[in-house]
Amino acid sequence: MSWGALMISYLEEAGRPAPSEEWALTLAEPDRRLVTVLLAAAIYEQATTSVLVGPETDRVLLCAPEGRGVTGLLTKRALKCVETVPNNSPNTERGRIERIMLTEHAGHLYGRDYWERVLRVTQGVAAAVAQDVVGQRYWETETPLSSFAATYQRMRHHRAIADALGDQEH
């Protein structure tokens, strides 16, 4: 699973944020794939900019001061993130069609509303996860993806215990 898919699953399983029509529409297929590609592109750009590739990718900053993390890249130059992911890498080839779709929609007036909706929800996903992980306003503390991974695993563990005990209130 990609980091983007894990971030979306984490929020959905935790019941956050409160469902809205825009979120429901965007996090359903096929737009859900666009959100995960956009998150993956921002993570890729942050990883390559910080020279953290391969197993070090979990140290990519999810949030950081001055917008240096994934949340900042999405806010400042989301389309650039999509465009800079190479198409010839076997690891990124699956997202090629989605990246082309995002680029095309962002570049034409008829697709502007679509692009802005996908971008808004993607930013919201990253911000909500970052806020959840840090436990305070998400620009205040540097938080790597590995912190999110640990939080996600704890949440899954607690949910499994509650399910085993028959507790329906998570």
Side-chain angles (χ1 to χ4, degrees), residues 22 25-26 31 33-39 41-42 73-84 98-124:
E22 182 175 64
L25 179 66
T26 309
D31 292 352
R33 280 180 293 155
L34 301 179
V35 173
T36 59
V37 167
L38 193 51
L39 285 165
L73 290 176
L74 283 166
T75 302
K76 292 180 177 180
R77 52 185 194 274
L79 183 57
K80 182 176 180 295
C81 290
V82 177
E83 291 172 338
T84 58
E98 287 86 351
R99 287 196 305 279
I100 291 169
M101 283 176 58
L102 280 172
T103 304
E104 287 178 351
H105 281 293
H108 294 90
L109 287 176
Y110 68 82
R112 188 63 49 97
D113 290 342
Y114 178 75
W115 160 255
E116 288 176 358
R117 174 174 56 80
V118 169
L119 180 59
R120 243 189 333 270
V121 171
T122 306
Q123 289 170 338

Side-chain angles (χ1 to χ4, degrees), residues 103-168:
T103 304
E104 287 178 351
H105 281 293
H108 294 90
L109 287 176
Y110 68 82
R112 188 63 49 97
D113 290 342
Y114 178 75
W115 160 255
E116 288 176 358
R117 174 174 56 80
V118 169
L119 180 59
R120 243 189 333 270
V121 171
T122 306
Q123 289 170 338
V125 167
V129 168
Q131 193 168 27
D132 222 44
V133 171
V134 176
Q136 56 187 332
R137 283 187 31 226
Y138 66 94
W139 294 116
E140 293 178 358
T141 307
E142 293 190 1
T143 304
L145 282 170
S146 57
S147 295
F148 160 65
T151 301
Y152 181 75
Q153 290 305 322
R154 277 196 309 274
M155 188 199 79
R156 300 279 308 203
H157 179 70
H158 293 156
R159 186 172 302 277
I161 290 171
D163 288 345
L165 295 174
D167 182 2
Q168 297 302 313

Side-chain angles (χ1 to χ4, degrees), residues 6-29:
L6 284 176
M7 291 164 77
I8 293 169
S9 294
Y10 169 78
L11 290 176
E12 287 177 337
E13 290 176 20
R16 288 184 303 276
S20 70
E21 186 177 335
E22 182 175 64
W23 275 64
L25 179 66
T26 309
L27 294 181
E29 295 296 348

